[in-house]
Structures are given as C-alpha cells and as structure tokens.
Amino acid sequence: MRIIVNGEEITIDVENVRTFGDLLERVRKGKENMVVKRIVINNEEYPLTRLEELKQVEISDDMEIELLLSPLKEFLLETIEEVLRYIERVKPLLGKVADAVIAGTNEGYRSINDLAEGLNAMENVRMNTIRITGISPKELGLSVSEDHLVGILTDFVNALQSKDLVKISDLIDGELKDVFTYYEEFFRKVEDLLKREPS
C-alpha cells in the first residue's frame, strides 16, 4: 500500500488498520490541528462530503491513498473566502432569480434549487465555524439578529415545501437579502478575528 501525505510517501505501521478511518487516525496522530483537505484513492478524488462514508471502507495492500492535510485555521480561512465569493456572486442576482421564479420558468426552478443548496452550505459552514472557533454570533454584534435569520430561513423552507411560488419570489427579492447580509457580516468578522489571532 502506498500512502502519500502532502506530497510525500510515508510508511506507517498498518497492523490493526482495516478501514480508511483507521488509517486516517494513524496518519493524523500528533496532527490534531490538521484537517483533511483532499482525498485521492487509486487516482480517484473523493469529495470531503463523503469522508464519514469513506471511513468505513476496507483498505487493501494494492491501494494508493493520497491525502492533503491543512492546518485548521488555514482551511477555515479558505472556506470562508469561498463563501464570501459565493455571496458576492449571488446577492446581486436575487432580483433576477425572483423574477424567474414568479415567471415559472425552468431556470427559475433551477435557481430555487441552487439557492436552497447554497443557503444550506452556508449554514453548515457557519455552524462548523461556531463549533471549531467557539465564537458566538452574539459577540460579533451583527446588524441582523440570529432569530431574524432563523425566521426567514424557516419561512423559505415552508414556502419551498408548499411550492408557493409567490411567497418564494417575495422572500428571494425581499427578506433573503437580510440572510445574505447576515452571512456576509458573520464571515467577514470571523475572518478578521482569525487573521488577527496568532497561528
């Protein structure tokens, strides 16, 4: 079995290592402040979203496993940068999305789907950021309250479930802008705090 970590082939004692999860544990021993950034098994890259599932996979001697580990802070800052780029790209388009939704076009339906996935991804990153950093949104002094955010997202999910296109369109063109403002402010302030913190 070939194991490559951050571009270097390493040898580790693979006794009692049956699954990818066992191997990961061995590789990360003493590197607890590092996170997995990339997984390639037998020249096939796997998305990080499948990490938990991959941990159960049995490994064999003929495998080649390549891992890229990154310091947690660096990984978090990169993820925050991606979220902020997404917000900058999507926020100005909300009016057009609302129009496409109310027109009932295929593009409108696709846009709703993309928007729902984007909101879900941002919320996951926000929750993980809070868990990892211990930063409370309340201490950031955000202009949009967390309760207001939750209320809007709940309304949006309910409108999606009832397929109420008018309500979905109104939310996208109206209150959803507050949601994007919240996320933008949250991530900019966390990014600023992380950058000022010594590594």
Side-chain angles (χ1 to χ4, degrees), residues 11 30 41 44 68 73 106-109 113 121 148 151 166 178 184 192 198:
T11 48
I41 301 173
E44 185 181 341
L68 185 60
K73 181 178 167 182
N106 282 341
E107 184 192 340
Y109 289 113
N113 225 7
H148 186 56
V166 173
D178 286 351
E184 187 171 16
D192 190 46

Side-chain angles (χ1 to χ4, degrees), residues 3-180:
I3 304 162
I4 301 158
V5 178
N6 292 357
E8 288 183 31
E9 190 166 346
I10 63 164
T11 48
I12 58 170
D13 176 17
V14 288
E15 196 180 323
N16 300 326
V17 174
R18 289 186 3 267
T19 65
F20 179 72
D22 296 339
L23 178 72
L24 202 54
E25 220 170 274
R26 253 333 128 79
V27 168
R28 288 191 62 227
K29 197 166 186 69
K31 298 181 180 85
E32 281 74 20
N33 68 330
M34 304 285 272
V35 290
V36 178
K37 191 173 170 183
R38 189 166 179 249
I39 304 164
V40 180
I41 301 173
N42 295 334
N43 296 316
E44 185 181 341
E45 186 165 352
Y46 289 86
L48 293 177
T49 51
R50 293 192 50 204
L51 182 58
E52 287 310 307
E53 175 192 335
L54 284 172
K55 284 181 179 178
Q56 311 308 313
V57 171
E58 301 241 342
I59 55 175
S60 60
D61 289 342
D62 60 348
M63 285 179 143
E64 180 177 297
I65 298 172
E66 192 178 336
L67 298 169
L68 185 60
L69 301 179
S70 171
L72 184 57
K73 181 178 167 182
E74 184 184 303
F75 180 73
L76 202 50
L77 282 168
E78 283 175 20
T79 305
I80 288 171
E81 278 298 315
E82 280 177 39
V83 172
L84 289 171
R85 278 195 298 274
Y86 169 79
I87 292 169
E88 279 173 24
R89 205 173 57 247
V90 173
K91 201 175 175 184
L93 303 175
L94 290 175
K96 285 182 186 165
V97 171
D99 292 344
V101 167
I102 206 70
T105 64
N106 282 341
E107 184 192 340
Y109 289 113
R110 252 194 327 276
S111 298
I112 292 171
N113 225 7
D114 292 347
L115 193 55
E117 283 176 14
L119 289 168
N120 190 36
M122 285 193 295
E123 183 56 18
N124 284 336
V125 173
R126 183 183 82 98
M127 293 308 290
N128 285 329
T129 300
I130 291 168
R131 189 175 48 78
I132 291 166
T133 63
I135 293 170
S136 155
K138 285 184 177 60
E139 62 192 70
L140 294 174
L142 304 172
S143 61
V144 177
S145 77
E146 196 169 1
D147 291 342
H148 186 56
L149 169 85
V150 170
I152 297 166
L153 290 176
T154 303
D155 287 350
F156 188 63
V157 168
N158 290 339
L160 288 174
Q161 287 173 341
S162 63
K163 295 180 175 58
D164 183 344
L165 294 183
V166 173
K167 179 79 171 160
I168 293 169
S169 175
D170 286 349
L171 283 166
I172 291 172
D173 202 22
E175 290 184 291
L176 226 48
K177 289 175 183 161
D178 286 351
V179 170
F180 277 87

